[in-house]
Amino acid sequence: MDDPTLISRQQLFARIVGGLGGRAAEEIIFGDSEVTTGAAGDLQQITGLAKQMVVTFGMSDIGPWSLMDGAQSGDVIMRMMARNSMSEKLALDIDSAIKQLSDQAYEIALQQIRDNRVAMDKIVEVLLEKETLSGDEFRAILSEFTEIPVENQIPPTPQAAVPV
């Protein structure tokens, strides 16, 4: 897509997966019983984004149309009236579609953390030693464990010609 104002379903879904990465990391690294409130802001954002995908952008199994009543952008009373005029089944379908998107994204985030745990541990080890990493250093460490996509690779610096 060339138009920067257009965002694909895949891009939106990737944002949700990324937004769930912190919560997924806590669960994998510290265990379910040690998950903290730290991801609260991320959870609010990804829930809002998932809701937009379903209700505003028509990116769910409910159908390719906007389910948002114009009154929903107005005051609280108008939004309550619009919600009451929506069928209970449609409201349940919307909630179900939002939950399905979030659940799928969370499973992917969990798997990404599991798949990259060794690389994460190495980066943590280096950070504990050095405290900071440049982007190039980060990519160098990461490239030991996984292939870096071409668009994220730093081209090698040209070597100066050595006279012979």
Side-chain angles (χ1 to χ4, degrees):
M1 253 178 223
D2 294 323
D3 186 344
T5 61
L6 298 177
I7 304 170
S8 71
R9 178 186 179 144
Q10 182 178 355
Q11 290 171 312
L12 292 171
F13 187 74
R15 288 181 186 180
I16 294 172
V17 172
L20 290 167
R23 169 57 63 91
E26 282 187 338
E27 184 176 324
I28 297 295
I29 293 167
F30 303 117
D32 191 44
S33 64
E34 295 298 317
V35 169
T36 70
T37 58
D42 294 335
L43 294 175
Q44 286 178 331
Q45 285 184 331
I46 67 100
T47 302
L49 185 52
K51 184 174 184 176
Q52 281 186 300
M53 287 177 71
V54 172
V55 175
T56 307
F57 306 136
M59 295 177 173
S60 75
D61 293 337
I62 295 173
W65 56 80
S66 177
L67 301 169
M68 197 170 126
D69 187 343
Q72 287 185 0
S73 60
D75 63 37
V76 175
I77 293 172
M78 291 303 286
R79 281 185 282 164
M80 287 173 57
M81 288 172 54
R83 180 73 177 181
N84 289 338
S85 69
M86 182 186 299
S87 76
E88 281 186 40
K89 173 154 180 12
L90 181 57
L92 287 173
D93 288 349
I94 290 169
D95 290 343
S96 175
I98 293 167
K99 183 175 183 338
Q100 182 182 11
L101 274 171
S102 298
D103 288 350
Q104 289 171 348
Y106 192 60
E107 286 306 314
I108 292 169
L110 287 168
Q111 193 58 51
Q112 289 290 325
I113 299 299
R114 287 184 197 108
D115 292 348
N116 294 290
R117 177 67 193 265
V118 176
M120 289 173 48
D121 289 345
K122 177 65 177 179
I123 290 167
V124 167
E125 180 184 312
V126 172
L127 283 170
L128 287 171
E129 190 178 299
K130 291 181 63 171
E131 292 188 24
T132 61
L133 284 175
S134 71
D136 288 347
E137 291 170 318
F138 177 82
R139 281 185 284 279
I141 294 168
L142 198 56
S143 69
E144 295 173 23
F145 300 93
T146 189
E147 187 174 334
I148 306 294
V150 175
E151 63 271 12
N152 293 333
Q153 291 179 7
I154 302 295
T157 37
Q159 300 292 325
V162 179
V164 184

